Amino acid sequence: MAKGGVSTTIRRLLEQRRLLRARLGNEAIKTELEGAAYDLQRAKISLEEADFKWATVKAYYSMFHAARALLYNAGYRERSHAALLTALRELYAKSGRLDEAALDDFENAMSLREEADYAMTFSEEGAVRVTRDAERFVEVARDLLEKEGGPRHDERELGNKGCGNA
């Protein structure tokens, strides 16, 4: 730990302005969880439609929004996807609050999303795997936030706000 109770890695991210201190309340966290649920639902629909590129992209973004909710809960906001991953490893995995394997899945999803978006490289197998991993990641994030006193998203609310499925 560096001085002030902040790890060297977090301090470096703050100095580089890749991570910012932020007081984002429960409403912002809840919005991110709603985004995670919506994107996960869209990923599953895309899988059913054999749209493997979009399933991959949406599954990643469901994880991204759940990860942001965790970061917001810790009092930070990211300036890049890579900074988000690094900060979660430092803030949650090192303390044992979040399994390192969950963050490995997030990192893999990030790579698959980049390949799908930028290289137009994607597969059914990758889309199925990343959607399954996203489902697990989102649930782990929700459970952790609930355990730590943050808001828990009720999936029934999504039908009223998001894609229309109650």
Side-chain angles (χ1 to χ4, degrees):
M1 279 287 172
K3 63 182 175 178
V6 176
S7 75
T8 304
T9 301
I10 296 297
R11 187 169 38 94
R12 182 177 35 83
L13 289 171
L14 289 167
E15 288 169 357
Q16 295 170 345
R17 307 232 358 107
R18 293 174 57 214
L19 190 67
L20 305 171
R21 292 185 193 276
R23 288 185 183 255
L24 298 160
N26 282 347
E27 206 51 45
I29 294 167
K30 186 176 179 184
T31 297
E32 291 300 325
L33 291 175
E34 289 169 353
Y38 178 79
D39 285 344
L40 182 57
Q41 184 176 25
R42 299 306 305 167
K44 290 176 180 179
I45 290 168
S46 296
L47 270 182
E48 290 171 8
E49 296 172 348
D51 186 349
F52 304 124
K53 176 185 185 239
W54 197 238
T56 300
V57 170
K58 294 311 280 182
Y60 166 71
Y61 276 106
S62 72
M63 296 171 93
F64 172 79
H65 288 293
R68 283 183 104 191
L70 290 170
L71 193 64
Y72 289 3
N73 192 57
Y76 296 97
R77 182 176 192 130
E78 86 294 339
R79 299 275 306 243
S80 73
H81 293 246
L84 175 59
L85 175 61
T86 300
L88 288 183
R89 285 195 193 282
E90 194 67 22
L91 295 166
Y92 286 93
K94 280 193 174 181
S95 67
R97 292 161 43 216
L98 185 61
D99 184 13
E100 188 72 40
L103 292 173
D104 290 344
D105 290 343
F106 180 51
E107 185 172 22
N108 180 60
M110 190 182 304
S111 293
L112 289 174
R113 193 274 308 175
E114 288 171 356
E115 289 172 17
D117 261 351
Y118 303 128
M120 291 297 294
T121 303
F122 50 89
S123 68
E124 179 178 3
E125 178 186 337
V128 168
R129 185 178 69 241
V130 74
T131 301
R132 181 195 64 229
D133 293 346
E135 190 166 27
R136 223 175 16 245
F137 187 89
V138 169
E139 188 58 35
V140 165
R142 282 188 200 134
D143 289 347
L144 181 56
L145 287 165
E146 183 178 282
K147 183 175 151 186
E148 294 189 355
R152 180 165 170 84
H153 169 66
D154 183 345
E155 300 198 5
R156 292 172 300 218
E157 295 173 11
L158 185 60
N160 297 328
K161 286 189 165 185
C163 61
N165 296 336

